[in-house]
Structures are given as structure tokens and as C-alpha cells.
């Protein structure tokens, strides 16, 4: 008895995977063209001749079916008999598909065994996920609801071509905001005399000296000399009083925090049609544990996170923030995330940072 097998984790529900396994048209898209055998409803002829590891077409017949968990097929490849078992198990991300084929009569040659297994793995990990993504888009209902777009977005009319009353109300709001800004400017100007009194005081002195000049011309030189030193004294006394109180406080508030010792590396685990799976490894090279970490990944425009394993997450626009527990000294933590892309060819993230420092791998 010779056995080959493969398994794949899929971000799709078991019902959709079951449909890809049992629908003749879908089966032809990701594995091999199939046609029904006349007179036998549960028997198909797979056109596998010419595929790596196959010497002829395979005739298959369903011997056991448990929707959507188990499918067992009896296979006949030019007299070589085998049993093919497909097991679908629900997971947190979607489901896991395990495929195993065991010979019951005859055997595959050494040259046939390895290419056959590689062909099966490639079909499961590349072509099947692509077809499932395509099928998911086919099943999305993009039609509007009965209420129409206006019911879903009621604010469009108020800020666009709304009634005159709405436009008048908007002008009133703008006027109120302008008034608030003016009052705020006046309040800020009123709050400034504490600083400007030093410069205003010397200006009052020349006015008194001018009145003295009018009554007693001989005192003019004395008035002039008494005014200029007062400006110098006022300016010299005001500047030292400000600098000691401001300068010492600046280093305490503007001192940058020490960068965290954590590092991170991004890798793309697998790519598929309309998406991919990313992986980030957060490493602590320090000799002491490091508390909660934050990794921010900026996705390409139009991409969204579908599921995450190993971290908490939230998405705001293109930025996805991942958080996790403390990393032990010299240890690491790994998390995976599935991404949906609105383009057939998936685009990798534009940036990745851990604690504000760039990740490697991008």
C-alpha cells in the first residue's frame, strides 16, 4: 500500500470548499476537466492524462459522502485502483482540507509518485484558493437594498444639493464659528499685557520728559539721559527673568523616549488570487522581558484584513494595528493575518513598524 497526501488551511467556510470539491465545473477549473459517466450519477471521468504523475484518465466514483465534512472516492487509473479521501475540518480562520490517496490494487512507480504528490499539493495550495476567492466574489450580492442608496447615506443630500433651509443653516454655523474665532483672538490679545508692560513703561517716560522740556528747557539733557538708561534697565531686567523659567523646563518635556529594543520581520507566507497571508515575527534581543508590543502594517489601498491569528488587531483605513503580550528576554512572538485585495494580483504591505521602528523584510 502506497500513500500520498497533502493538506491546506483555507480562509473559506466548509460549505464553499465542499462546493469546489463536488461541482463538476469548479473541479475542472482547479484540478482536472471532468465529465459524467453515462448511466452512473455518482461517477466522473477526470481528464488527468498528461498531468505530472498521471499516466491516464482517472475514473472516480463516490463511495461515502458526509456534507460538508467527508468525501471518499474510489479511483481507477487504467486498472490501478486507489481510494481518495477528502476531510474538511472547521478552523478559526475558515477550514482545513486534508486529501489522502492510498493504493488498493497496483502501485505507482518511483518516477510517478513524487510528481503526483507535487501536482496534488500545487492544486490545493495555489489553484484551489484562487478558485475559492473567485467563487466568494461571485456569491457576493452587490445589488442595492430596497431602500436605495439615499436611505443608506442620508447625509449626502444635506451637504450637497439640499434645500435652501439646510444651506442657510450651514451659513449660520459658519458665522458662529467665525465669531468664536474673533472672540478667541481678542481674549488672546488681552492676555498679553503681562509681557508687554515692560516695553510700555519706558514709552510713558519720554512723554513726561517732553512735558518737562516745554516748561524748563535747561532740563532737557537730564530728561533725555534719564529715559535711555530706563529702557536699558527694563530690557535687561525683563530678559533674565524669562530665560531661567523657560529654558530649564524644555529638556524635561522634549526629551525623546528611548527606542524600544524590539525588532520585527515581515514575510508573505502565501499568495493567492485577490489576497495573501502575511506573517510578522516580533523578537526581543534584550536580556529582560519587554511589555506589550505594537506593530503597525500599512496595507495597499483597497486591501482589508480578513482574519488574524496570534495578535489582537484593528484596522483604520490602510493602517492595521496589531498588539500582543510581553515578549520574554531573547524570545519572539509570531502572528499571521489574511488580507483581501481588490485586485487579482495581491499587493504586499507598503510599510511595517514595531514601536515606530521599521520592520525588516519589506
Amino acid at each position: 500500500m502506497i500513500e500520498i497526501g497533502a493538506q491546506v488551511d483555507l480562509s473559506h467556510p466548509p460549505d464553499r470548499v465542499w462546493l469546489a470539491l463536488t461541482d463538476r465545473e469548479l473541479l475542472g477549473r482547479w484540478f482536472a476537466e471532468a465529465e459524467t459517466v453515462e448511466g452512473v450519477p455518482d461517477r466522473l471521468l477526470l481528464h488527468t492524462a498528461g498531468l505530472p504523475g498521471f499516466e491516464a484518465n482517472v475514473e472516480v466514483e463516490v463511495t461515502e459522502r458526509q456534507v460538508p465534512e467527508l468525501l471518499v472516492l474510489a479511483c481507477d487509473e487504467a486498472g490501478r485502483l486507489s481510494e481518495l479521501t477528502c476531510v474538511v475540518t472547521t478552523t478559526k480562520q475558515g477550514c482545513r482540507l486534508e486529501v489522502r490517496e492510498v493504493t488498493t490494487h497496483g502501485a505507482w512507480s518511483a518516477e510517478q509518485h513524487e510528481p503526483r504528490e507535487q501536482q496534488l499539493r500545487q492544486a490545493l495550495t495555489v489553484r484551489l484558493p484562487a478558485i475559492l476567492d473567485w467563487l466568494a466574489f461571485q456569491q457576493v450580492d452587490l445589488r442595492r437594498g430596497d431602500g436605495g442608496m439615499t436611505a443608506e447615506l442620508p447625509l449626502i443630500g444635506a451637504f450637497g444639493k439640499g434645500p435652501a433651509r439646510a444651506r442657510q443653516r450651514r451659513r449660520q454655523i459658519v458665522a458662529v464659528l467665525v465669531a468664536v474665532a474673533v472672540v478667541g483672538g481678542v481674549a488672546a490679545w488681552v492676555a498679553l499685557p503681562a509681557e508687554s508692560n515692560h516695553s510700555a513703561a519706558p514709552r510713558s517716560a519720554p512723554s513726561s520728559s517732553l512735558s518737562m522740556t516745554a516748561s524748563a528747557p535747561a532740563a532737557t539733557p537730564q530728561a533725555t539721559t534719564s529715559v535711555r538708561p530706563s529702557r536699558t534697565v527694563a530690557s535687561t531686567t525683563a530678559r533674565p527673568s524669562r530665560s531661567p523659567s523657560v529654558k530649564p523646563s524644555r529638556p524635561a518635556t522634549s526629551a525623546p523616549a528611548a527606542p524600544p529594543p524590539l525588532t520585527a520581520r515581515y514575510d508573505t507566507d502565501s499568495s493567492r488570487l485577490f489576497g495573501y497571508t502575511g506573517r510578522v515575527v516580533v523578537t526581543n534581543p534584550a536580556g529582560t522581558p519587554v511589555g506589550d508590543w505594537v506593530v503597525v502594517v500599512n496595507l495597499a489601498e483597497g486591501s482589508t484584513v480578513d482574519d488574524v491569528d496570534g495578535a489582537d488587531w484593528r484596522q483604520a483605513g490602510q493602517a492595521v494595528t496589531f498588539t500582543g503580550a510581553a515578549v520574554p528576554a531573547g524570545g519572539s512572538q509570531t502572528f499571521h493575518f489574511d488580507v483581501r485585495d481588490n485586485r487579482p494580483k495581491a499587493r504586499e504591505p507598503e510599510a511595517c513598524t514595531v514601536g515606530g521602528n521599521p520592520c525588516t523584510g519589506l
Side-chain angles (χ1 to χ4, degrees):
M1 180 179 67
I2 302 177
E3 177 181 331
I4 65 173
Q7 72 176 32
V8 60
D9 290 324
L10 302 165
S11 57
H12 292 272
D15 291 342
R16 186 175 298 147
V17 176
W18 180 266
L19 184 61
L21 292 174
T22 56
D23 184 87
R24 182 169 58 87
E25 182 179 353
L26 293 176
L27 187 63
R29 290 175 178 266
W30 69 271
F31 185 66
E33 294 291 336
E35 62 176 318
T36 58
V37 177
E38 187 176 357
V40 185
D42 283 342
R43 184 173 297 179
L44 293 175
L45 180 65
L46 301 179
H47 294 271
T48 55
L51 293 179
F54 292 86
E55 296 179 347
N57 293 337
V58 178
E59 189 172 306
V60 300
E61 182 177 358
V62 178
T63 60
E64 187 176 355
R65 179 194 289 115
Q66 297 177 15
V67 183
E69 301 171 353
L70 177 66
L71 181 66
V72 182
L73 304 174
C75 306
D76 184 352
E77 182 186 359
R80 184 186 295 109
L81 305 181
S82 62
E83 184 179 71
L84 182 68
T85 304
C86 303
V87 179
V88 181
T89 306
T90 302
T91 63
K92 181 180 178 181
Q93 292 78 20
C95 69
R96 174 174 297 162
L97 173 61
E98 298 181 52
V99 179
R100 183 184 63 174
E101 186 175 12
V102 179
T103 57
T104 57
H105 179 74
W108 300 298
S109 63
E111 294 79 11
Q112 188 182 12
H113 181 273
E114 184 176 354
R116 190 184 188 99
E117 192 168 35
Q118 289 179 352
Q119 174 69 15
L120 177 62
R121 288 177 178 172
Q122 184 181 24
L124 292 180
T125 59
V126 179
R127 293 195 296 273
L128 176 58
I131 290 301
L132 291 172
D133 287 340
W134 172 84
L135 183 60
F137 275 86
Q138 300 301 311
Q139 294 175 339
V140 173
D141 186 2
L142 299 178
R143 295 173 298 177
R144 295 182 180 180
D146 296 337
M149 189 64 70
T150 304
E152 297 176 14
L153 300 174
L155 297 179
I156 290 181
F159 290 95
K161 299 179 180 180
R165 184 176 181 181
R167 291 195 298 270
Q168 181 179 3
R169 179 176 177 81
R170 185 172 58 184
R171 288 195 295 269
Q172 293 174 353
I173 294 174
V174 172
V176 171
L177 293 177
V178 172
V180 171
V182 172
V183 173
V186 173
W189 178 81
V190 172
L192 293 177
E195 182 180 355
S196 60
N197 283 340
H198 295 286
S199 59
R203 292 182 183 179
S204 62
S207 63
S208 60
S209 65
L210 290 176
S211 61
M212 292 172 62
T213 305
S215 58
T220 301
Q222 297 177 357
T224 304
T225 54
S226 62
V227 170
R228 291 179 181 173
S230 66
R231 291 183 181 177
T232 306
V233 171
S235 60
T236 54
T237 56
R239 288 175 184 171
S241 64
R242 287 199 299 266
S243 56
S245 60
V246 175
K247 290 182 179 179
S249 61
R250 288 180 182 175
T253 57
S254 61
L262 294 177
T263 62
R265 177 177 177 80
Y266 168 83
D267 292 294
T268 299
D269 262 2
S270 62
S271 298
R272 57 184 181 275
L273 189 66
F274 296 109
Y276 61 92
T277 299
R279 178 183 64 181
V280 175
V281 180
V282 181
T283 304
N284 177 19
T288 57
V290 176
D292 297 348
W293 48 266
V294 177
V295 172
V296 178
V297 177
N298 291 330
L299 303 179
E301 185 177 1
S303 300
T304 57
V305 170
D306 182 48
D307 197 7
V308 177
D309 183 19
D312 296 326
W313 65 283
R314 67 179 185 275
Q315 181 168 359
Q318 295 178 235
V320 185
T321 303
F322 302 92
T323 57
V327 184
S332 63
Q333 289 188 11
T334 303
F335 64 90
H336 301 77
F337 57 96
D338 290 329
V339 176
R340 298 288 182 182
D341 202 326
N342 60 3
R343 296 186 182 182
K345 186 176 181 180
R347 298 161 294 173
E348 290 189 345
E350 296 179 353
C352 172
T353 60
V354 54
N357 298 321
C359 306
T360 59
L362 282 178

